[in-house]
Amino acid sequence: MRTAQEVAEALREYVPTGDTRELRMIRDDYAGALWEDAIGAILALVERGEISLPADLEAAAWEVVRAEEAEALRRHPVPQTT
């Protein structure tokens, strides 16, 4: 599995240019090295049909997101109610 940084760097070329709030957020995340946030924002563009990615790169991006979610749940488990 590629690291979040590697995936984010590969995604960079697919981010459209423009000055919307969302695109500024993506650029800020890249500048601040918040790789998972940038990947999530780019995948949101994909889900809305605003951009498309090669299938293998999109799959790698989702892997990073799922791994981050699993790690977050591991660190902060959701309490189980009975």
Side-chain angles (χ1 to χ4, degrees):
M1 183 173 128
R2 293 194 265 185
T3 67
Q5 181 177 355
E6 290 168 336
V7 172
E9 291 295 333
L11 289 170
R12 189 185 293 258
E13 71 181 84
Y14 296 95
V15 176
T17 58
D19 200 30
T20 66
R21 180 179 178 275
E22 187 169 40
L23 292 176
R24 283 194 307 273
M25 180 190 76
I26 291 168
R27 284 193 301 272
D28 290 348
D29 284 349
Y30 277 126
L34 301 174
W35 309 114
E36 292 85 356
D37 290 348
I39 291 168
I42 292 167
L43 287 173
L45 294 173
V46 172
E47 288 183 329
R48 289 196 308 269
E50 295 179 30
I51 64 171
S52 61
L53 301 172
D56 62 326
L57 185 54
E58 185 175 350
W62 281 112
E63 271 185 45
V64 169
V65 170
R66 285 190 293 273
E68 179 66 17
E69 289 171 350
E71 178 62 21
L73 282 174
R74 187 189 66 70
R75 285 189 310 253
H76 306 286
V78 177
Q80 300 296 316
T81 59
T82 57

